[in-house]
Amino acid sequence: MENESNQLATTTPKREISTPVMADFADALKIGKVFAASGLVPTAYVGKPADCAIAVDMAQRMGVSPLMVMQQLYVVKGKPSWSGQACLCFIRQRFTDVRVNYTGERGTNKRGCYITAKDGDTELAGTEVTIAMAIAEGWLSNTKWKNMPEQMLAYRAGAFFARVYCPDVLMGCHVEGEAEEISQKAANAPDPFAEAEGEQNANE
């Protein structure tokens, strides 16, 4: 892939983040109650100890700060989603020499982005995401693709990279924009039962 000047490059080395050791979920609930009573957590978690406990449990298993999980995990249409920023952060925690590479001419459908990183001495390269791909997949129904295409390319490229090389860090959650696009596709999909009913009425 022809590479334009790398943007958002980082050479942040791998690092370990220490978190409190919990004997079981009861400990997470105790900590969650403290967060729920704090005015520093995001509004969605205020007064919700159970939600905070789940965030604390996730943070423990991922080796990150509970507050980071609360700030970067949100719910869209009932589906938990990581922010694009969080996804790239997880990748940088797991690998070294992580780079966000842009290709093609800015402002055209050929504009693209892919993530590269190193796992020890192994060079890794994620799938290239382009504006043409976004159009073909119907992602432009999300207005962010029109208003901030460079950012969305990086976020989606990060999601593709993570699902191939470190799917465990996402813990089964979507990444920013994916849940909205899935919901939009589901809303626009034809109803097979309605079609079958129409055919039955026509035969009668």
Side-chain angles (χ1 to χ4, degrees), residues 45-93:
Y45 289 90
V46 174
K48 298 180 179 178
D51 290 357
C52 290
I54 292 173
V56 170
D57 181 61
M58 291 179 68
Q60 173 68 17
R61 286 185 283 155
M62 296 172 66
V64 300
S65 164
L67 193 56
M68 177 190 173
V69 172
M70 295 180 198
Q71 291 172 334
Q72 304 297 336
L73 185 69
Y74 59 99
V75 178
V76 177
K77 304 294 184 180
K79 299 179 177 65
S81 298
W82 292 111
S83 70
Q85 181 181 1
C87 182
L88 290 174
C89 181
F90 297 152
I91 293 171
R92 287 176 175 134
Q93 285 184 311

Side-chain angles (χ1 to χ4, degrees), residues 34-48:
V34 175
F35 278 110
S38 171
L40 297 179
V41 299
T43 305
Y45 289 90
V46 174
K48 298 180 179 178

Side-chain angles (χ1 to χ4, degrees), residues 39 41 46 92 100 125 141 197 200 204:
V41 299
V46 174
R92 287 176 175 134
V100 178
S141 59
E197 183 177 350
Q200 182 179 356
E204 292 175 353

Side-chain angles (χ1 to χ4, degrees), residues 8-194:
L8 305 178
T10 178
T11 55
T12 305
K14 294 181 180 179
R15 58 190 182 278
E16 298 294 332
I17 298 178
S18 60
T19 54
V21 177
M22 295 181 296
D24 50 35
F25 191 74
D27 291 337
L29 185 57
K30 290 179 182 178
I31 300 173
K33 289 179 179 178
V34 175
F35 278 110
S38 171
L40 297 179
V41 299
T43 305
Y45 289 90
V46 174
K48 298 180 179 178
D51 290 357
C52 290
I54 292 173
V56 170
D57 181 61
M58 291 179 68
Q60 173 68 17
R61 286 185 283 155
M62 296 172 66
V64 300
S65 164
L67 193 56
M68 177 190 173
V69 172
M70 295 180 198
Q71 291 172 334
Q72 304 297 336
L73 185 69
Y74 59 99
V75 178
V76 177
K77 304 294 184 180
K79 299 179 177 65
S81 298
W82 292 111
S83 70
Q85 181 181 1
C87 182
L88 290 174
C89 181
F90 297 152
I91 293 171
R92 287 176 175 134
Q93 285 184 311
R94 178 68 62 88
F95 305 101
T96 60
D97 197 23
V98 178
R99 296 176 180 272
V100 178
N101 310 281
Y102 287 97
T103 61
E105 184 179 350
R106 185 190 293 263
T108 69
N109 292 351
K110 293 183 179 180
R111 185 63 165 174
C113 180
Y114 66 99
I115 307 296
T116 57
K118 286 185 178 180
D119 185 10
D121 294 330
T122 304
E123 297 275 355
L124 305 175
T127 303
E128 181 180 14
V129 179
T130 65
I131 295 298
M133 179 190 296
I135 294 173
E137 293 294 324
W139 298 342
L140 268 63
S141 59
N142 182 341
T143 57
K144 289 183 179 180
W145 278 97
K146 299 176 182 179
N147 299 331
M148 50 182 75
E150 302 286 300
Q151 201 78 2
M152 294 304 291
L153 283 170
Y155 289 165
R156 190 53 53 89
F160 277 23
F161 182 97
R163 296 201 187 286
V164 173
Y165 295 110
C166 53
D168 54 300
V169 302
L170 299 180
M171 302 186 72
C173 297
H174 294 295
V175 177
E176 185 171 352
E178 292 180 330
E180 295 94 330
E181 291 154 10
I182 292 173
S183 297
Q184 184 64 34
K185 285 184 178 180
N188 294 335
D191 184 348
F193 296 103

